[in-house]
Amino acid sequence: TLCDTRPAISRSLQELFQQAGRSIPDGIDILSLIGNGHTIQETLLILGITERLIPEWVSAYRRLYARHEHLACLFDGVADTLNTLKSKGHCLLLLSNKGRVAVESSLQALDIGRFFDLILAEQPGQPGKPDPSVFTQRIAPLFPALLPSECIMVGDTPTDLQFAQAIGSMACFAAYGYGQKDACRAVGYDFRLERFADILAI
């Protein structure tokens, strides 16, 4: 949980439905969907898009997101904290259920990609959070000596915390993010971060 992408996601989804001549269903809170950690595919299904149209809508959404990604911004203290963690010799992996192109573009625009030893985003045919095979299939082959028990998963959604539980790592709830606090509390976590820099004290 490094970047507040809510404005970019919300604007892109609203324009996507407007361009299709449709309105987002009444009673659906986009920010709530984002806070639950849904992928864009899952979000569109919840919003009433039929499964056969999902690939087309996802492509259109990603084009719009590329136009609005400048609305995203780092949470306070993220760059300095990442720099400190790297200077202390920690291995930093970024794991996102967002599309690879959007993730890499954002990291470049925000100048934080250089801090990460591995960047994993959503890719067709590859598992995503909270599936534990993300670790066994996508991370472990590249870091064969890495044990889940040595890892700390930081996130602000139930999906992030469920992934930590599934692989047996420690879990940090990023309370400064936009996840659903009650839902995350129900899943459970080992640490609570009121700001990203709090991780330095763990």
Side-chain angles (χ1 to χ4, degrees):
T1 303
L2 307 170
C3 179
D4 187 352
T5 56
R6 286 174 295 183
I9 294 173
S10 183
R11 177 78 64 84
S12 300
L13 280 171
Q14 288 170 351
E15 285 195 15
L16 179 63
F17 276 74
Q18 288 171 358
Q19 289 181 4
R22 300 174 63 165
S23 59
I24 292 176
D26 290 340
I28 295 291
D29 184 346
I30 291 178
L31 296 184
S32 177
L33 292 179
I34 297 170
N36 278 320
H38 292 296
T39 65
I40 182 57
Q41 292 88 345
E42 292 168 342
T43 297
L44 291 172
L45 285 169
I46 292 169
L47 292 173
I49 306 306
T50 58
E51 191 166 355
R52 69 178 181 83
L53 293 177
I54 292 297
E56 176 186 341
W57 277 64
V58 167
S59 295
Y61 167 82
R62 287 178 173 159
R63 288 193 295 272
L64 288 168
Y65 188 88
R67 187 186 305 169
H68 297 306
E69 67 178 349
H70 66 280
L71 298 173
C73 62
L74 290 176
F75 286 109
D76 289 343
V78 163
D80 288 342
T81 302
L82 289 174
N83 186 55
T84 300
L85 289 169
K86 286 303 295 181
S87 70
K88 291 178 178 291
H90 293 292
C91 179
L92 304 181
L93 313 182
L94 189 149
L95 175 59
S96 176
N97 279 352
K98 295 183 176 66
R100 180 182 57 82
V101 173
V103 169
E104 292 179 352
S105 178
S106 293
L107 292 175
Q108 181 177 0
L110 297 168
D111 192 29
I112 59 171
R114 56 198 166 92
F115 295 118
F116 294 97
D117 299 274
L118 178 66
I119 297 167
L120 293 178
E122 185 269 335
Q123 285 185 270
Q126 293 289 335
K129 298 177 295 184
D131 188 335
S133 61
V134 171
F135 188 90
T136 57
Q137 295 181 20
R138 304 183 70 185
I139 296 175
L142 300 174
F143 300 90
L146 182 64
L147 299 175
S149 59
E150 299 173 331
C151 300
I152 299 176
M153 176 70 192
V154 179
D156 67 343
T157 70
T159 297
D160 297 316
L161 304 177
Q162 288 163 354
F163 175 69
Q165 290 184 353
I167 67 171
S169 77
M170 290 177 282
C172 275
F173 171 50
Y176 59 86
Y178 45 81
Q180 303 294 310
K181 290 180 172 55
D182 289 343
C184 289
R185 191 180 301 112
V187 175
Y189 44 82
D190 301 289
F191 305 98
R192 178 186 172 105
L193 307 181
E194 298 300 333
R195 57 193 184 106
F196 186 60
D198 290 346
I199 196 172
L200 298 175
I202 297 175

